Amino acid sequence: MVIDVVEHKKVSLSVITKRVGEILGVGFQVFRQSSVILTLVMVFASYMFVLNIVEYLWPVYLRSRIPINDQTIYWIGMAVATLLASTAGSHVLNLWTHRWQKNNGTKTHNVILRRWFIGTSLFAAIPVLVLSWLTANGQDTFLFFAMAVLPVQFAYGVISPSYETLINNYIPENHAQERATILSFGSLIRSLLAMLLIIPAGGTSGETTTIGWAIPAFLL
């Protein structure tokens, strides 16, 4: 009886492992063969790398530029502002989507949603590149700092739902089982980028850390 149970578990595990391998393989083929899906995944991964760098390092930069007695109020202000920026991005996309559907009587077209996705990515990347360039040239970037961080946070409210919607729209119906796998490729590539580039992207000090932010922003 015990032997039968063990053998049954081995067979079940073998079947599950084989099925998971098949899903991963098919998902990768769909990802590799579709230029649209490939582009969406790479843009999303690059944006998430920018977002992670900015989220992790803006407190480091802020602490290096603010007197210790004033750090708390500035930190709270930036934390609240970044949260509001992300919420605002999601709200703007939601309002625009509802307006489009009301005016046209149809769901949002993929081409239009792609423009939002790519345009918002550029909206996030360009201010970070400018901030990095100004810092590298010895300019005082403290006032421009928030103007670079907040667009990155705003973009999250647009890019995250747009990415999931577009990927689901472009995946063929006969590959519905691989949807979750293909969606996860963005996070996988973002993790690889972070592992390879997190140290140079972090800069050499708190005051100059924004120079390194040019690396993920340039990829995006």
Side-chain angles (χ1 to χ4, degrees), residues 169-200:
N169 287 348
Y170 280 111
I171 293 176
E173 290 296 330
N174 58 323
H175 291 296
Q177 291 186 338
E178 289 80 34
R179 291 182 189 274
T181 300
I182 297 171
L183 280 168
S184 69
F185 285 148
S187 298
L188 174 63
I189 296 173
R190 190 273 307 168
S191 298
L192 291 174
L193 291 174
M195 181 177 66
L196 295 173
L197 301 174
I198 190 69
I199 293 179

Side-chain angles (χ1 to χ4, degrees), residues 60-67 71 139-142 206-207:
V60 176
Y61 174 84
L62 200 63
R63 185 174 183 178
S64 69
R65 298 297 306 273
I66 301 297
Q71 287 180 4
Q139 302 294 319
D140 185 1
T141 57
F142 181 72
E207 290 187 354

Side-chain angles (χ1 to χ4, degrees), residues 24-34 185:
L24 288 173
V26 174
F28 181 75
Q29 289 297 321
V30 175
F31 162 73
R32 185 175 62 84
Q33 294 173 0
S34 172
F185 285 148

Side-chain angles (χ1 to χ4, degrees), residues 80-108:
V80 172
T82 53
L83 179 61
L84 292 176
S86 179
T87 303
S90 179
H91 185 62
V92 167
L93 180 63
N94 185 54
L95 288 176
W96 180 84
T97 301
H98 283 297
R99 179 175 296 180
W100 169 273
Q101 293 176 353
K102 181 179 179 180
N103 293 339
N104 297 276
T106 59
K107 293 183 178 180
T108 306

